Amino acid sequence: PIKQAQSFTNTRKFEKIDLPPVIDFEGGSLAKVKSKRKSVEQVQADLLTCLKEVEKITGRKPMIYTNGGTGNVYLNKPEFADYPLWVANYPRDMKTKNPEMPGAWKGTKWLFWQKSQSYKIGTTTNDFDKFNGTISELKAFIEGK
């Protein structure tokens, strides 16, 4: 996890005007190599080590990007709720007002929500992500206030 954090933070310099670093934590990559599978407890420990190292290197608390299924299995320890969450939760109806929160964030207010990975605007298909707040609150979040 230390080498992963160092590799991640060496890819770019994080400026004060950027969102904090985002750790994309998805279950599919954990199951790819059966011979190298780790226990849930080991994955949790490694992820927490990585998150702390990214914060130490960048001086910014990283966010976690995940979905409910992965979050409910791997991110159910209270320590994970110390990190901002960007939740991928694709409702059947785009009018849905709130995502289902995974693991440690259940019952908390959501911050970032990826509502769709295939949202169309005209002929362009893209993700549909929302911030739960005003532009001033987003600026304050980015500035770490």
Side-chain angles (χ1 to χ4, degrees):
I2 298 292
K3 286 183 181 179
Q4 183 71 28
Q6 292 168 342
S7 175
F8 174 65
T9 56
N10 284 335
T11 61
R12 70 182 302 266
K13 184 178 177 188
F14 293 92
E15 305 288 338
K16 289 183 178 185
I17 60 169
D18 295 330
L19 284 173
V22 180
I23 304 296
D24 185 346
F25 185 76
E26 299 185 51
S29 60
L30 295 170
K32 283 188 178 175
V33 182
K34 289 181 182 180
S35 64
K36 293 187 179 185
R37 284 190 187 161
K38 295 181 179 182
S39 68
V40 169
E41 293 78 16
Q42 187 61 56
V43 171
Q44 289 171 330
D46 287 351
L47 180 56
L48 285 168
T49 298
C50 184
L51 288 163
K52 290 174 186 171
E53 186 68 12
V54 168
E55 185 172 4
K56 182 176 117 183
I57 293 168
T58 65
R60 302 189 64 192
K61 186 175 282 285
M63 289 196 298
I64 299 172
Y65 170 89
T66 197
N67 61 43
T70 301
N72 288 330
V73 172
Y74 293 98
L75 305 177
N76 53 14
K77 294 179 89 168
E79 298 96 295
F80 289 111
D82 292 339
Y83 295 89
L85 175 68
W86 192 329
V87 63
N89 177 250
Y90 310 135
R92 290 182 190 172
D93 180 354
M94 288 299 282
K95 293 179 184 176
T96 299
K97 301 261 188 243
N98 295 297
E100 291 184 31
M101 300 295 280
W105 295 272
K106 285 208 183 288
T108 66
K109 179 181 171 187
W110 62 274
L111 185 63
F112 286 91
W113 176 15
Q114 185 180 34
K115 279 182 98 165
S116 174
Q117 62 184 356
S118 57
Y119 189 75
K120 283 193 168 257
I121 299 177
T123 59
T124 304
T125 302
N126 210 332
D127 294 344
F128 183 90
D129 297 284
K130 290 182 73 169
F131 174 74
N132 192 11
T134 65
I135 192 72
S136 297
E137 290 168 327
L138 178 60
K139 287 178 182 178
F141 172 74
I142 290 169
E143 293 169 0
K145 294 178 183 174

